[in-house]
Amino acid sequence: MSDARIGTRALIALLGDWRPTASGPSYLALFDRIRLLVLDGRIAGDTRLPAERDLAQSLGVSRTMVSAAYRELRDAGYTHSVRGSGSVTRLPGRAPVGGQDVGGDFIDFTKATLIAYPGLVAATQRVIDDYAVELGGTGIDPFGSLALREAVAARYTAKGLPTSVEQVMITIGAQHAIFLLARTLLGRGDRAVVELPSYPHAYEALRANGARLVPVTVTAAGSGAAPDGLHGWDAAGLEQAFARTSPALAYLMPDFHNPTGESMPAELRAQVLRDAARQGSLVIADETTSELDIDRPEKSLPFAAYGDPGTAESAILIGSVGKTVWAGMRVGWIRAEPAIIRKLAGARFAGDLGTPVLEQLVVAELLRDFEPVLALRSQQLAAGRDTVLRVLASRFPDWQAPRVHGGLATWVNLGAPVSSQLALGARSHGLLVTAGPRFGLDGAFERFLRIPIGLAEAELERGIEALAAAWGSLSQGPIPPAELYAQVV
């Protein structure tokens, strides 16, 4: 029997406005929306769906209709029947979805990443002799290699935040850092302030460790989601979230926020640290995109550098080379007060025994002269951003796409709540793209789509042309689910 289940109310919240907008069977529309929730990861695999009768009653439809939708899910391979558990979700073999093996000619817009830095192989070759020396040790260290911790501490210090090696832990990428912090610092039922929208795997890590999420909105400039001059973080909402809920921690992405591309003003950073210190809360600042600058008007310091004496201690910084060097280089770090670093080290052995040694040596080598890496990335992202804005303006003049100053994506307002349907339609035209609600809570952001800017220009153009083809199908009514099913299975 499956232990995981999704309640009827939770599923209805995720379904949103699932009913067809034109003629067509309702059961196929319901099948389509549940299928997308599974593909996007908003409903995890091996999750028990609500009973047919309960879902039908709550939706105000016939049980026959829900039964037909569930039958389509089983036939398409998105659920299977387990005695005593009803319908349990799963992904069909080799289904083209983020996190799965993508075959064929699909263009992948689901991941906001860059191709590997061209100097990565040469850097690896330069540290082979050092690696040979390391082979004489155990290779197990929860804190990370001293050489890399020194290199990370030196970069923080050079950027205006004095840092010692005792304040640095090396992790297996940024996602590992988020999960380790949540597991160590959260108690079940603790509140955690988060941005809305935000990085979906951060939501998952916090919830998996018992957090009750307190969302604060972030709106993108030029997206049409807020009047001019009112974009960015809801400053009043942030202040109230700390004052009213006394959260254990807050998870924020203050530089080139994912997915909006916004950067937090200096005065708000200082205010957040004061509010957190007043409530005894910790602030986790995810700075994995902070150095992906294209043409930001003002340079930013590391988040903790904006704190007054005593308040900076409430800031925990996360960094990695997954966005700057290569997503396959699973090396990240945490910068925090030494007492927190020691606590994390004590908790770490329950999940892993340290970060791979060779990768740490390579990253330490690269960090000693990191400016060429960042200069190349700035050029690549500028070209990608300009290509996306140019092609979107040509193909979708009514869409509103922010001109981001850095980061890996732009948060596009479609002008209509059709993101999920468009994401499904794009699959039949060879494009994988994540629907807007994946970045929100309870089905929000159906009017938005995150479009990456880090891919090659030709690939970006082909992907947007696929979006145009899917958009054209939408204008003629809902895309027949049977056609989409044939493409995915």
Side-chain angles (χ1 to χ4, degrees):
M1 179 181 292
S2 173
D3 292 329
R5 65 181 63 197
I6 183 170
T8 304
R9 290 176 60 186
L11 177 57
I12 290 175
L14 289 174
L15 288 173
D17 187 11
W18 61 272
R19 289 174 170 80
T21 56
S23 60
S26 294
Y27 79 91
L28 287 180
L30 181 59
F31 151 74
D32 231 4
R33 187 53 59 90
I34 295 175
R35 180 168 65 88
L36 179 68
L37 294 173
V38 174
L39 286 168
D40 265 358
R42 284 178 274 166
I43 298 178
D46 201 31
T47 296
R48 177 183 174 181
L49 295 176
E52 294 174 0
R53 177 181 295 145
D54 293 343
L55 184 58
Q57 289 177 347
S58 297
L59 290 175
V61 300
S62 70
R63 182 176 177 181
T64 301
M65 192 274 279
V66 174
S67 296
Y70 275 26
R71 183 178 61 251
E72 291 290 328
L73 288 166
R74 285 194 300 274
D75 291 346
Y78 290 92
T79 63
H80 62 110
S81 297
V82 177
R83 185 179 298 276
S85 292
S87 295
V88 178
T89 61
R90 67 179 181 183
L91 280 170
R94 293 184 65 81
V97 60
Q100 300 296 311
D101 187 9
V102 178
D105 297 324
F106 283 93
I107 299 169
D108 191 359
F109 274 16
T110 64
K111 303 176 185 68
T113 58
L114 289 156
I115 62 172
Y117 175 61
L120 185 55
V121 172
T124 304
Q125 293 170 336
R126 291 196 297 271
V127 301
I128 290 299
D129 289 342
D130 294 333
Y131 185 52
V133 173
E134 293 288 342
L135 294 177
T138 66
I140 297 174
D141 188 341
F143 294 98
S145 81
L146 180 59
L148 181 52
R149 292 166 67 203
E150 288 175 340
V152 171
R155 279 194 63 76
Y156 276 123
T157 300
K159 291 191 291 185
L161 180 63
T163 301
S164 66
V165 293
E166 291 78 18
Q167 292 175 282
V168 178
M169 168 182 280
I170 306 303
T171 62
I172 311 171
Q175 182 61 32
H176 173 237
I178 297 169
F179 192 87
L180 178 61
L181 286 164
R183 191 183 71 196
T184 307
L185 302 178
L186 279 172
R188 185 153 299 277
D190 282 350
R191 289 178 171 83
V193 172
V194 295
E195 296 150 330
L196 188 69
S198 187
Y199 175 52
H201 296 310
Y203 289 154
E204 293 163 359
L206 294 170
R207 280 175 159 166
N209 289 283
R212 298 168 61 186
L213 304 187
V214 181
V216 176
T217 58
V218 183
T219 53
S223 68
D228 290 342
L230 296 180
H231 59 87
W233 282 257
D234 177 2
L238 260 176
E239 183 178 8
Q240 292 171 8
F242 281 104
R244 293 179 180 178
T245 69
S246 297
L249 58 81
Y251 170 83
L252 306 174
M253 190 175 288
D255 295 282
F256 308 126
H257 169 261
N258 181 12
T260 68
E262 289 287 311
S263 290
M264 186 180 288
E267 58 272 18
L268 183 54
R269 298 177 191 228
Q271 182 62 52
V272 166
L273 287 172
R274 286 194 294 270
D275 292 341
R278 189 177 300 116
Q279 298 299 326
S281 307
L282 295 170
V283 178
I284 299 174
D286 186 338
E287 297 184 329
T288 53
T289 57
S290 65
E291 294 187 301
L292 295 176
D293 195 330
I294 300 174
D295 50 15
R296 182 163 47 180
E298 296 181 0
K299 302 298 180 183
S300 66
L301 301 172
F303 191 83
Y306 293 89
D308 301 324
T311 67
E313 295 181 0
S314 65
I316 299 172
L317 310 185
I318 292 174
S320 85
V321 294
K323 304 299 187 185
T324 51
V325 176
W326 183 42
M329 183 62 70
R330 307 302 307 150
V331 175
W333 52 83
I334 298 169
R335 188 237 183 240
E337 290 304 301
I340 293 177
I341 295 295
R342 291 192 295 270
K343 185 175 183 179
L344 293 171
R348 184 169 180 176
F349 283 129
D352 70 280
L353 300 180
T355 308
V357 173
L358 178 59
E359 284 85 341
Q360 293 187 74
L361 293 172
V362 173
V363 174
E365 172 70 14
L366 289 170
L367 288 183
R368 293 186 184 102
D369 185 18
F370 209 51
E371 295 314 309
V373 178
L374 300 181
L376 176 62
R377 293 321 199 186
S378 181
Q379 295 172 7
Q380 292 171 327
L381 290 170
R385 176 196 63 187
D386 295 345
T387 296
V388 166
L389 294 181
R390 172 177 54 81
V391 180
L392 285 179
S394 173
R395 301 295 289 170
F396 304 100
D398 294 331
W399 289 10
Q400 294 176 302
R403 181 180 177 82
V404 295
H405 295 291
L408 289 162
T410 184
W411 186 235
V412 180
N413 188 336
L414 309 177
V418 294
S419 180
S420 294
Q421 184 74 355
L422 182 60
L424 282 168
R427 291 173 186 271
S428 67
H429 295 279
L431 174 69
L432 306 178
V433 63
T434 305
R438 182 72 174 100
F439 300 91
L441 301 169
D442 301 326
F445 303 113
E446 273 289 358
R447 300 174 69 90
F448 290 86
L449 201 64
R450 188 191 72 170
I451 297 182
I453 64 173
L455 301 177
E457 295 174 54
E459 194 169 7
L460 291 170
E461 291 179 353
R462 290 199 305 273
I464 295 173
E465 289 301 321
L467 275 180
W471 185 259
S473 300
L474 279 183
S475 67
Q476 301 168 20
I479 300 169
E483 294 180 12
L484 299 175
Y485 153 68
Q487 295 292 330
V488 174
V489 176

